[in-house]
Amino acid sequence: MRSIPEPLDILILAAGLGTRMRSSVAKVLHKLDGRPLIAHVCGTAAALTPRRVYVVVGHQAAAVEQAVRAVLGERAAVTFITQAEQRGTGDAVMAARETVAGEATTDGASTLLVLSGDVPLMRADTLAALVHQHRTHRGRGAACTLMSVRLDDPTGYGRIVRDEENRFQRIIEQKDATTEERAINEINAGIYCFDVAKLFPALERVVPVNAQGEYYLTDAPGILRADGEDVSVFLHADAREVSGINTRVELADFERTMRLRTLRRLMLDSGVTIIDPAQTYVDSAAQIGRDTVLHPNTHIEGRTTIGENCEILPGARIVNSVIGNEVTIKDHSIVTDSEIADRCSIGPFAHLRMNARMEEQAVIGNFVEMKKSRLGRKSKAMHLTYLGDAEIGERTNIGAGTITCNYDGRHKHPTIIESDVKIGSDTMLVAPVRVGARSITAAGSVVTKDVAPDTLVAGVPAKEKKRLDTESRVDAPSENPSDTATTTADEHTTEADETPTLVG
Ligand code: UD1
Ligand code: CA
């Protein structure tokens, strides 16, 4: 074993289009568990704390680079290498020659771990074991160590050809293999460690004389072996882990595997009730608390956290959001990039997005959209409402059909509704506008100017009809404050001393 551990660099191959996907989107950008394939590989790479990560890009390079930076941006030093024309995996590594070798010579020997962008389930522990074997092989380290696995059906993969003494000889690709060679069930996983000083001279000798007319990286180990160099094989037991994704059928298969793994973890470790795991979709990054119930056809995506004792009803979709405890999200509601405090209720058919925030015990009812808004503690918006760029205080009731008119065609403007306000049905709040505490808007009001606290306004445009004397006003909440207000401006103004009520 080398006394001083030499630096580890990682090279990820991600330039190919992935013809077998039959897609105009580069294969490594296709999503598994809500993240691009390349993001999975980058996450594993980062866990090995490499000195540097090289990513060979080609097809849709800008999008691939963005996906890589999203994962590695702060976790590892990344260098992108462009492979202008996809002439094979050997050519892809060759494209990185100057950059990689230049880096290596400054501090002597180094290990290059080569990964494929389309092998997403690889675990960091396994790679660490591969690197260890590479560096300790025969007490001095190997020129190349490649990972292999035995498959019941090796179709499509490169096969590992061994000599009479069972030592590695070369890799033969499926398309170039004889019937006899195709019967070999030990396959090349496409994951290798190379001694950088020996890799490039060998790659230089690779020629594109094969069924695909490509420069195969898989020829390099055979060349090294023929030169008498040590090539070791790391035979791994878990076939699933090293499987690559080449078709959409395989992608869907992986998705199902990952999904069931996540759901099992949630049920066994977190104590989540999942009524029908075959119809429940939870990304692995999500966290869900004890005794929360997920009904069929629920989707929990991205970095979502859901607390304890929540109930997520059929058709709900929750994306990158934080949900407290004892929250009910009713059928067919969508919550994205939002924050919901304890004991809130949402839906059915509600849409919360772009930093919608609900404080404790707030209620959003059917056909309500809430964007970039805060709904204070115990406040309610029960029916057919749009709340955009709004700050709403506590115990305020938003009547049915209320709209914050936040957009003047050019800019978005804020609406502020303070605490204990009653917004009558079908009120239009023309932003920027503020409604003071304890005020009331009559049904059908179009509020174009700020409303002072303790004031009743009505009409189009809304005018002050009355100051609400705090002594005499009816403070007791109506039987069902969530019901729609049916008072009209006329009713309010007929009798001067009549306190407006919000009757169902
Ligand atoms: C490769 C191996 C095969 C192995 C299999 C394991 C070769 C010749 N064959 O086959 O032995 O069993 O992986 O999964 O290497 N890429 C580039 N530039 C190119 C071509 C490919 O960057 O010019 C990238 C692809 O984007 C992909 C990776 O290299 O991420 C592997 O390429 P792919 O075409 O999928 O190779 P396989 O046919 O699967
Ligand atoms: Ca592949």
Side-chain angles (χ1 to χ4, degrees):
M1 189 167 167
R2 291 153 185 154
S3 50
I4 307 158
E6 53 188 44
L8 174 69
D9 294 325
I10 298 179
L11 184 139
I12 304 173
L13 300 177
L17 173 63
T19 319
R20 289 162 281 181
M21 292 297 278
R22 306 216 180 282
S23 174
S24 50
V25 176
K27 175 165 65 182
V28 298
L29 293 173
H30 280 261
K31 284 183 178 170
L32 173 70
D33 188 35
R35 292 173 295 142
L37 295 179
I38 187 74
H40 291 260
V41 178
C42 288
T44 312
L48 295 170
T49 56
R51 176 177 65 170
R52 186 158 284 283
V53 177
Y54 304 98
V55 185
V56 182
V57 294
H59 276 282
Q60 286 151 35
V64 174
E65 286 181 23
Q66 198 186 354
V68 168
R69 281 210 187 85
V71 180
L72 293 180
E74 281 144 30
R75 295 173 69 188
V78 192
T79 307
F80 293 99
I81 287 139
T82 306
Q83 184 195 18
E85 206 186 318
Q86 281 67 59
R87 299 187 299 173
T89 47
D91 180 64
V93 176
M94 208 53 177
R97 178 180 199 165
E98 272 179 36
T99 323
V100 174
E103 192 75 51
T105 46
T106 54
D107 19 5
S110 69
T111 305
L112 186 70
L113 172 62
V114 178
L115 305 175
S116 282
D118 64 346
V119 180
L121 299 189
M122 198 69 231
R123 292 181 319 129
D125 286 353
T126 308
L127 294 178
L130 173 77
V131 172
H132 181 75
Q133 174 172 322
H134 176 72
R135 287 174 171 172
T136 56
H137 181 74
R138 293 188 174 184
R140 59 174 186 266
C144 167
T145 304
L146 54 99
M147 193 178 295
S148 76
V149 71
R150 290 191 192 284
L151 296 183
D152 293 336
D153 177 12
T155 311
Y157 289 96
R159 312 294 206 282
I160 306 288
V161 181
R162 291 176 180 263
D163 64 17
E164 311 78 56
E165 283 147 49
N166 203 35
R167 282 179 312 179
F168 171 84
Q169 203 171 23
R170 63 195 168 91
I171 299 168
I172 185 86
E173 289 302 298
Q174 160 94 21
K175 286 184 179 153
D176 305 302
T178 60
T179 317
E180 213 171 51
E181 286 164 337
R182 286 187 188 189
I184 299 171
N185 74 346
E186 184 184 11
I187 64 100
N188 166 35
I191 294 162
Y192 326 77
C193 272
F194 287 101
D195 174 341
V196 168
K198 291 177 177 156
L199 166 65
F200 291 105
L203 263 186
E204 234 173 24
R205 289 151 59 196
V206 169
V207 287
V209 183
N210 51 54
Q212 304 187 78
E214 288 185 355
Y215 292 88
Y216 289 165
L217 173 59
T218 47
D219 284 350
I223 289 170
L224 289 167
R225 180 71 193 91
D227 283 354
E229 295 285 354
D230 279 325
V231 175
S232 81
V233 178
F234 182 95
L235 177 57
H236 192 49
D238 186 347
R240 193 81 219 188
E241 193 184 325
V242 302
S243 301
I245 290 178
N246 293 311
T247 67
R248 296 195 202 232
V249 172
E250 286 160 358
L251 182 61
D253 205 29
F254 272 56
E255 185 75 51
R256 192 164 45 245
T257 303
M258 281 205 83
R259 186 153 56 83
L260 292 178
R261 198 183 281 176
T262 301
L263 297 177
R264 267 182 79 80
R265 172 173 57 75
L266 289 171
M267 291 188 278
L268 293 173
D269 302 346
S270 310
V272 176
T273 297
I274 296 169
I275 292 171
D276 183 1
Q279 296 186 69
T280 307
Y281 307 84
V282 183
D283 285 354
S284 62
Q287 287 176 27
I288 306 180
R290 188 177 277 245
D291 294 317
T292 283
V293 179
L294 301 183
H295 286 256
N297 198 16
T298 46
H299 300 251
I300 317 292
E301 299 173 14
R303 301 206 161 271
T304 292
T305 305
I306 299 178
E308 301 185 350
N309 293 305
C310 293
E311 186 148 25
I312 315 298
L313 289 148
R317 178 162 168 251
I318 306 168
V319 186
N320 293 324
S321 294
V322 178
I323 315 287
N325 299 320
E326 292 172 53
V327 172
T328 304
I329 301 188
K330 294 179 189 163
D331 314 49
H332 302 286
S333 295
I334 303 174
V335 180
T336 57
D337 306 310
S338 294
E339 218 172 293
I340 314 300
D342 296 350
R343 298 165 71 194
C344 285
S345 174
I346 295 171
F349 301 99
H351 186 189
L352 280 73
R353 61 186 178 99
M354 264 175 93
N355 196 22
R357 284 153 293 143
M358 288 173 71
E359 293 177 352
E360 276 179 41
Q361 295 180 66
V363 183
I364 283 286
N366 24 202
F367 304 105
V368 173
E369 177 181 355
M370 187 172 163
K371 183 218 86 175
K372 236 184 186 177
S373 293
R374 177 178 67 92
L375 187 62
R377 209 171 152 268
K378 290 187 171 175
S379 286
K380 297 180 175 183
M382 295 299 288
H383 329 264
L384 303 151
T385 284
Y386 173 59
L387 300 172
D389 306 292
E391 290 285 324
I392 297 156
E394 302 186 354
R395 296 171 305 277
T396 280
N397 189 66
I398 309 289
T402 295
I403 308 284
T404 54
C405 311
N406 61 331
Y407 186 47
D408 60 13
R410 280 195 192 174
H411 303 289
K412 301 283 169 73
H413 301 285
T415 297
I416 295 162
I417 303 171
E418 296 178 353
S419 294
D420 301 297
V421 169
K422 291 183 173 68
I423 300 291
S425 298
D426 199 27
T427 294
M428 300 292 123
L429 296 151
V430 182
V433 73
R434 172 187 285 267
V435 179
R438 298 170 302 279
S439 285
I440 297 174
T441 70
S445 304
V446 176
V447 182
T448 54
K449 279 191 270 178
D450 287 359
V451 177
D454 303 293
T455 307
L456 166 70
V457 298
V460 182
K463 297 222 167 68
E464 180 176 328
K465 296 295 169 186
K466 189 177 163 162
R467 297 289 300 173
L468 299 166
D469 170 359
T470 34
E471 298 291 296
S472 68
R473 63 178 265 131
V474 180
D475 265 339
S478 56
E479 283 289 285
N480 187 351
S482 71
D483 275 358
T484 61
T486 55
T487 43
T488 65
D490 281 342
E491 279 164 9
H492 288 308
T493 50
T494 42
E495 289 227 37
D497 59 355
E498 193 183 303
T499 319
T501 53
L502 301 161
V503 290

